[in-house]
Amino acid sequence: MTTVSALPQRIEGDVGSMAWWSGQFTRVQDRLEDLRDAVARASTVSGAGESVRAVRDDAERLLTTIDVDIGEAALLAIVLQDYADAHERHAQRANALVEDIEMAEADWMQRSEDAADAAGVALVVAGAGVGLFTDLAQNAATEATQARDLSWQHLSALRSEYERHFTNWDAAYDEALAALAGGASASLTPEARAVFERLLGADDSAEVLALWNAHPELHDELLDARPDLLGNLDGIPYIDRSAANESVLRALYDSDLEEPLRSEVDALYSEVVFNDARLISFDASGSEQATAALWYGEFDAHRISVLVPGMNSNVAGIGEWGVSAGDINGAVPDSATIVWFGYDSPSVLEEPGMHRAEDGAAAFTGFLNGLDELAPSAELNVVAHSYGSTMSALAIGSQPDGLGVDRFITVGSAGLPNDEAILDNLQSSSAPAIFATMADGDVWAPIGQLTAFGHNTSPTQLDGVTVFDSDGGVTSAGDVLIATPGHAAHEGANSLWWDADDAPGGYLLDGSESFYNVQQIIATGAPGTEAGGEGSAPDWSPYYSGGYYPYGSGW
């Protein structure tokens, strides 16, 4: 039987932005060359005396280093422009084919069903022995089969064209990485440089890990030369990545920084130094905001959980997420928890769209693949708040196996992607178990779902989802659990009718029913309290009356 492969992926990239940066680096090169000429003149200035000699000495020292900077600026300008040209020639054409392929696949699937139905009718009519109708049914079956085959040929042609453009783009991408690696690794020995280039050009985290493990004698040299790149390369063991990233962090911490980077670096430094967190990824300048991931616990833990924040989150607020990570590890045996601030979270105006989710999902997919490669036997949980669940679902649902995730827990979800392929994968037999909660007083998550362009699906609408409570309860030991009054993940309420100073905490605050259930799901695979059971509180909304809630129980 003919089968169709997975839908082709869109290739991210902004040609205009790349061309702009290429122009900027060209201008930097020009300015540095002007500076070099001025310094060269200063190195030959006439005169005597200590001050003149000091000027000449300083100029000579600067001349020995400035050519390297000029070379790097020139290299970056050329590589970026060449890659922008290749992206325009191949990636954009590949992306333009994605929608055509989706439509052609839908047409082929429909015509395949039509052909199967027509063949069945022809078989039944032939068995009835009615000559005229037998011929008509057979002709209809033949025509349906021919239409199906033509549809398949059209789909195959589109896919072949896509693969050609994708292959050409992939080659250009590898060439760009190799060129950057060559320029960035001039201080490496030839052996280390060759491995460095292969690491950057590897197709997946499995290939990265195999290369890394094959050359232990080069680890120190590679990490010392490019900690910024290797500290974020999925597939390299986290103990090595954290050492590289923490060296970059310490250098930044000792530098003069402007806001918001100063607050972001301070927050990460505090977690690493005072809370024994390990910095397994860190990019201070490559995104619109600093991105990072912190690991709490032992690297060989059997249960690994990933906490993903939502809208308006940034690294400066990572400390309260670190508290939640420690609380999970304290409640769950043999547990480690990752706080993943690895994407540019959306603003209020951006939240209805999918742009931030799509960019974040690309990074999160690579991260989860790398995590699964490094800890294949561990139980993997993703706990996502608000828009973090939108982004996480897009990544986890990109493959039927959920990228190795065992449990996907959403709290106050802003809505899952509407894409049918994503939703089908999230409900496949090999998908992770999905759990969801929405506090009665949380009005922002329903508004996020209602006003969204592309993520209107409530997790509770999916088959097999386990809904758990967050409105107050009692543990099996008789401990009273507080309710979540609004949309906040931690302190405050983020509610229309609660003052933040007076409100109980959010979904992931220790002592709340929501967070207790999250801990129990990670530890046992099931919530710890009964839905609507003992201690369940009434709706926080002032509009609550006799069980009425304006958004309905489905939210």
Side-chain angles (χ1 to χ4, degrees):
M1 176 182 177
T2 303
T3 58
V4 66
S5 58
L7 289 175
Q9 61 178 332
R10 296 183 186 273
I11 304 169
E12 298 296 331
D14 185 336
V15 171
S17 178
M18 287 185 278
W20 184 85
W21 277 110
S22 175
Q24 291 294 101
F25 283 118
T26 298
R27 281 187 281 276
V28 169
Q29 177 189 353
D30 291 341
R31 299 296 184 272
L32 287 173
E33 288 173 346
D34 291 342
L35 177 62
R36 179 184 58 190
D37 293 342
V39 170
R41 290 192 296 271
S43 68
T44 59
V45 66
S46 60
E50 184 177 345
S51 296
V52 174
R53 285 195 300 273
V55 168
R56 285 199 296 261
D57 291 344
D58 289 342
E60 289 173 359
R61 280 195 296 271
L62 184 56
L63 282 173
T64 63
T65 60
I66 198 169
D67 281 338
V68 175
D69 296 330
I70 291 172
E72 287 189 358
L75 174 68
L76 288 168
I78 293 171
V79 170
L80 276 171
Q81 188 57 59
D82 288 348
Y83 179 64
D85 293 341
H87 194 283
E88 188 171 21
R89 288 195 308 273
H90 302 301
Q92 289 187 354
R93 294 179 184 178
N95 288 342
L97 289 166
V98 171
E99 186 174 349
D100 292 339
I101 290 171
E102 292 174 347
M103 294 174 62
E105 180 177 325
D107 179 74
W108 172 76
M109 293 177 69
Q110 182 60 56
R111 292 186 182 277
S112 296
E113 292 179 7
D114 294 344
D117 291 342
V121 170
L123 186 62
V124 171
V125 172
V130 183
L132 175 61
F133 291 108
T134 298
D135 292 341
L136 291 173
Q138 185 59 52
N139 289 339
T142 300
E143 291 175 0
T145 300
Q146 290 172 344
R148 179 202 64 193
D149 293 344
L150 286 173
S151 179
W152 175 254
Q153 291 172 16
H154 177 58
L155 174 60
S156 298
L158 288 174
R159 281 188 168 275
S160 295
E161 186 178 359
Y162 172 89
E163 290 297 335
R164 178 171 61 84
H165 286 302
F166 186 91
T167 300
N168 288 335
W169 164 79
D170 193 44
Y173 182 75
D174 288 343
E175 289 175 8
L177 286 177
L180 291 175
S185 58
S187 63
L188 292 173
T189 61
E191 296 80 8
R193 180 172 174 174
V195 172
F196 183 66
E197 293 180 4
R198 290 175 65 195
L199 284 169
L200 293 187
D203 290 332
D204 53 37
S205 55
E207 184 178 350
V208 168
L209 180 59
L211 278 168
W212 188 256
N213 288 338
H215 299 280
E217 75 284 358
L218 299 176
H219 289 179
D220 289 343
E221 182 182 359
L222 290 167
L223 291 170
D224 289 343
R226 292 316 303 256
D228 53 335
L229 293 178
L230 298 181
N232 294 287
L233 189 57
D234 292 316
I236 290 181
Y238 293 126
I239 190 169
D240 297 317
R241 285 176 58 172
S242 61
N245 289 320
E246 286 159 22
S247 70
V248 174
L249 176 67
R250 286 186 169 87
L252 279 173
Y253 182 78
D254 292 332
S255 304
D256 291 329
L257 303 175
E258 296 182 356
E259 293 294 348
L261 184 58
R262 177 78 267 168
S263 295
E264 293 165 340
V265 166
D266 288 351
L268 291 172
Y269 187 82
S270 177
E271 292 301 293
V272 169
V273 172
F274 300 111
N275 290 330
D276 295 325
R278 302 305 303 269
L279 189 59
I280 61 172
S281 72
F282 178 45
D283 187 350
S285 58
S287 303
E288 294 181 29
Q289 60 191 63
T291 58
L294 288 170
W295 183 296
Y296 297 81
E298 300 298 327
F299 283 128
D300 59 354
H302 175 63
R303 295 183 178 92
I304 300 173
S305 302
V306 185
L307 304 183
V308 184
M311 182 182 73
N312 284 336
S313 58
N314 66 75
V315 168
I318 205 167
E320 60 186 1
W321 292 82
V323 173
S324 294
D327 290 336
I328 289 174
N329 293 346
V332 180
D334 197 11
S335 176
T337 303
I338 301 165
V339 177
W340 194 82
F341 276 66
Y343 76 118
D344 292 325
S345 65
S347 66
V348 173
L349 294 178
E350 293 170 322
E351 189 277 339
M354 288 293 294
H355 174 65
R356 294 301 186 191
E358 290 165 353
D359 288 349
F364 199 42
T365 296
F367 177 79
L368 290 176
N369 279 328
L371 181 56
D372 191 44
E373 190 68 36
L374 292 169
S377 61
E379 292 179 3
L380 179 56
N381 310 279
V382 171
V383 183
H385 175 247
S386 189
Y387 193 86
S389 69
T390 308
M391 185 281 299
S392 298
L394 193 59
I396 295 170
S398 66
Q399 298 295 327
D401 66 354
L403 303 178
V405 175
D406 295 293
R407 302 182 187 98
F408 179 30
I409 306 169
T410 73
V411 294
S413 174
L416 307 188
N418 298 342
D419 186 283
E420 290 187 7
I422 297 295
L423 296 177
D424 286 345
N425 283 340
L426 290 174
Q427 298 171 98
S428 72
S429 59
S430 55
I434 301 179
F435 301 82
T437 190
M438 180 78 71
D440 280 346
D442 183 350
V443 300
W444 296 120
I447 289 174
Q449 295 177 23
L450 288 168
T451 61
F453 304 104
H455 57 93
N456 308 101
T457 305
S458 170
T460 60
Q461 297 173 11
L462 302 187
D463 294 338
V465 170
T466 300
V467 179
F468 60 95
D469 273 7
S470 51
D471 296 314
V474 178
T475 69
S476 58
D479 297 324
V480 176
L481 301 167
I482 63 173
T484 297
H487 185 63
H490 294 97
E491 296 293 342
N494 199 356
S495 169
L496 291 177
W497 36 80
W498 270 90
D499 184 277
D501 294 332
D502 299 327
Y507 285 105
L508 301 179
L509 191 70
D510 200 34
S512 69
E513 182 183 23
S514 169
F515 192 55
Y516 173 75
N517 280 325
V518 167
Q519 293 170 320
Q520 290 300 302
I521 290 167
I522 295 170
T524 69
T529 65
E530 178 185 355
E534 181 184 359
S536 183
D539 194 303
W540 290 103
S541 162
Y543 307 112
Y544 180 84
S545 176
Y548 170 72
Y549 185 54
Y551 295 102
S553 59
W555 298 109

